[in-house]
Amino acid sequence: MTVILNTDLPGLELYAKGKVRDVYRIEDQLLFVATDRISAFDCILPTGIPDKGKVLTQLSVFWFDLLQAIVPTHFITAQVDEFPASARAFRRQLEGRSMLVKRADMVEVECVARGYLAGSGWKEYRERGSVCGVPLPAGLKESSALPEPIFTPATKAQSGHDENISFDAMAKRVGADLAGRLRELTLKIYRRAAEYARTKGILIADTKFEFGTVAGELVLGDEVLTPDSSRFWPLDTYEPGRAQDSYDKQFVRDYLERIRWPKSPPAPPLPAEIAARTSEKYKEAYRALTGRHL
């Protein structure tokens, strides 16, 4: 197992550095490199999760292929041999954890689909009987399946926290026509993915997508249906009325809650066993969904 917290690709232009990804610009294309950094409560932890970046990249590539009949994507290739020559020199850092993509003009709204009541949605439902202003039937429990999947957009505040917004607020930001297209497309992708995942023993409780335009065409971008962007629950232990076992980073969040970290920098290091078990959870999700091993 390997851990890469930061990339070092001299000669390539570092275009952006996110919580997990280092993005390089190569002419009119972007090179996404998923590191093994992990964030929780909007802080990057000093401990990496072994092979996490490989899971994120290879699972996204799997979904891009599965969903291509529904939506075009920004994906070009994840084969280092097909990268521009300037990137191929860094094969050891890039192999398995990078992909070349089209540069897109991103829509500044995260498109969230929810099929189950969890997280901030469960909190709001208990208080107001709704999720992001979408009214729901009375009597639902924590982790209950919703009558139908719902679309709950979000946006980034200056602090970096995701902020749920109403559909009307989204429409004011991006225009009513685009908002409607994104809602329809988000729910269509979610239903297809959730249907597939269930056959593999995984429930996708919720997930978020990002979209952009390339030459005027709407495309699916960033990462897709990974344990970082989704809640994955094992079907065989699913039981409404409680929090669920998960394949995502909830395991890390639960540890940080147990040690009563105040959720402000500096973030504490993770014990080796927590990092190793989190890595295995990510890999379990990858194996279950794809039938492959890293």
Side-chain angles (χ1 to χ4, degrees):
M1 292 191 296
T2 58
V3 176
I4 292 181
L5 292 180
N6 293 284
T7 57
D8 181 21
L9 311 182
L12 296 187
E13 177 190 351
L14 184 62
Y15 178 74
K17 192 177 184 76
K19 291 176 182 175
V20 174
R21 284 169 184 76
D22 294 345
V23 181
Y24 294 84
R25 178 159 53 190
I26 305 177
E27 298 177 351
D28 62 342
Q29 299 171 338
L30 297 178
L31 179 66
F32 277 30
V33 188
T35 72
D36 298 319
R37 298 191 294 264
I38 190 168
S39 67
F41 306 110
D42 288 308
C43 289
I44 299 173
L45 278 62
T47 309
I49 305 302
D51 291 331
K52 173 175 175 280
K54 291 184 177 182
V55 172
L56 300 186
T57 297
Q58 294 183 42
L59 193 52
S60 289
V61 171
F62 168 80
W63 286 115
F64 282 140
D65 181 61
L66 187 75
L67 298 168
Q68 63 181 333
I70 295 177
V71 59
T73 77
H74 71 164
F75 177 72
I76 298 173
T77 182
Q79 300 299 318
V80 176
D81 287 339
E82 298 174 2
F83 289 178
S86 57
R88 293 199 297 269
F90 305 107
R91 177 183 298 275
R92 289 185 64 184
Q93 293 182 66
L94 301 179
E95 197 79 69
R97 63 173 69 245
S98 61
M99 57 184 173
L100 195 68
V101 305
K102 301 168 189 173
R103 188 177 173 190
D105 294 321
M106 301 305 291
V107 179
E108 295 300 317
V109 174
E110 292 186 335
C111 295
V112 181
R114 300 174 188 264
Y116 296 78
L117 202 50
S120 62
W122 168 237
K123 181 180 179 182
E124 181 185 331
Y125 176 79
R126 283 182 297 170
E127 295 172 355
R128 298 193 285 275
S130 62
V131 174
C132 298
V134 178
L136 294 173
L140 297 179
K141 304 175 181 178
E142 182 177 10
S143 305
S144 286
L146 302 180
E148 291 287 339
I150 61 173
F151 176 70
T152 61
T155 188
K156 294 282 189 182
Q158 292 298 317
S159 65
H161 291 271
D162 292 351
E163 286 195 348
N164 297 329
I165 59 174
S166 68
F167 178 77
D168 288 344
M170 176 185 175
K172 289 179 180 178
R173 282 174 174 263
V174 305
D177 288 347
L178 180 56
R181 289 176 64 198
L182 290 173
R183 176 170 61 184
E184 180 181 2
L185 195 51
T186 294
L187 292 175
K188 187 175 183 179
I189 296 169
Y190 172 76
R191 287 188 176 98
R192 174 69 182 95
E195 177 184 81
Y196 170 84
R198 191 179 184 95
T199 69
K200 302 300 180 180
I202 289 180
L203 299 177
I204 303 177
D206 53 46
T207 192
K208 63 181 178 182
F209 302 116
E210 295 194 37
F211 295 90
T213 56
V214 175
E217 181 180 48
L218 193 62
V219 301
L220 179 63
D222 199 56
E223 64 178 312
V224 180
L225 293 154
T226 72
D228 268 14
S229 65
S230 318
R231 281 188 176 87
F232 290 154
W233 295 340
L235 176 60
D236 60 357
T237 61
Y238 170 67
E239 183 183 6
R242 60 170 177 82
Q244 306 301 305
D245 299 330
S246 72
Y247 291 111
D248 50 60
K249 63 181 176 181
Q250 189 61 45
F251 186 70
V252 170
R253 295 190 194 101
D254 291 345
Y255 165 77
L256 295 172
E257 294 274 15
R258 287 199 304 274
I259 66 171
R260 300 188 179 181
W261 172 51
K263 303 176 185 176
S264 59
L270 297 175
E273 62 270 21
I274 297 294
R277 181 64 184 120
T278 303
S279 175
E280 186 53 35
K281 281 178 171 286
Y282 275 59
K283 290 175 183 177
E284 285 173 11
Y286 177 80
R287 288 193 295 267
L289 289 166
T290 69
R292 309 168 191 159
H293 291 265
L294 283 179

